[in-house]
Amino acid sequence: MSPQEKIIDAAEECFARFGVAKTTVEDVAHAAGMSRATLYRNFSGGRDELILAVFLRDVGRFLDRMGERLPQEFTPAEAVVAGVMDAVEFVQGEPRFAALFVPEAVGHTHKVVSAASQRALDLCAARVEPYFAAAQQAGLLRPELDVAGTVEFLFRMIASLSLAPLVRDDEETRRFLRLYVVPALVP
């Protein structure tokens, strides 16, 4: 395991245990079994860079598993609804990832993720582009859409549903997605 992965693992563990707001670089260095100087040689941006590294790694893990979680046979509308619901469930339900978005951490996480939102969007776009291109070639997505804009739209929708949820059950959320999100993407 690379020093960077060891540090990211330690940061993720500390964020889950102590909370993002209370975790210090010293905590992460101790959990990784190294000095602060060694940690800073790998992550010169300190805690903010660690928050971003954990966030991007977890988004990457989610995207890697996305293909396994979606049904093999589905319509584009079903794929949009299932993908958004799966992402919302991941953000809210994965304890290590959710630790980045608890109320006391939101300010820290928001600042870091906002500053690097283009990197997060680029990561998502790179992972979904093959699916997007195939669906568009098959006429299953509106032809004027581009992958970057579509990913940003869905990213913003997932963030809103995850971090500012309304009191409604999953079926009501699916109905909302079918009525308002699907028509924006599917011809």
Side-chain angles (χ1 to χ4, degrees), residues 14-159:
C14 289
F15 294 156
R17 187 175 345 134
F18 306 125
V20 173
K22 293 182 181 174
T23 297
T24 65
V25 170
E26 184 69 40
D27 294 330
V28 176
H30 183 265
M34 60 184 60
S35 69
R36 278 181 23 173
T38 301
L39 186 144
Y40 275 113
R41 274 195 294 279
N42 288 278
F43 290 92
S44 61
R47 187 174 67 166
D48 286 354
E49 190 175 351
L50 292 171
I51 293 169
L52 180 61
V54 169
F55 173 76
L56 291 175
R57 183 175 75 173
D58 283 345
V59 167
R61 285 177 175 167
F62 168 79
L63 292 168
D64 288 343
R65 295 190 316 253
M66 183 174 61
E68 300 166 11
R69 291 185 306 271
L70 291 176
Q72 294 301 321
E73 300 278 331
F74 54 83
T75 67
E78 291 167 348
V80 168
V81 172
V84 170
M85 293 298 291
D86 193 41
V88 169
E89 182 180 314
F90 176 78
V91 171
Q92 293 177 337
E94 175 64 36
R96 294 173 304 187
F97 193 76
L100 296 174
F101 296 100
V102 295
E104 64 272 7
V106 169
H108 302 284
T109 304
H110 181 267
K111 179 182 98 176
V112 171
V113 173
S114 292
S117 59
Q118 191 61 55
R119 285 178 60 191
L121 289 172
D122 290 346
L123 173 65
C124 293
R127 298 287 178 89
V128 302
E129 187 160 22
Y131 304 106
F132 183 92
Q136 208 165 34
Q137 278 186 317
L140 302 174
L141 291 176
R142 290 181 30 208
E144 69 274 16
L145 299 178
D146 66 73
V147 69
T150 303
V151 167
E152 179 181 353
F153 173 71
L154 291 173
F155 188 85
R156 291 179 184 284
M157 184 58 58
I158 292 162

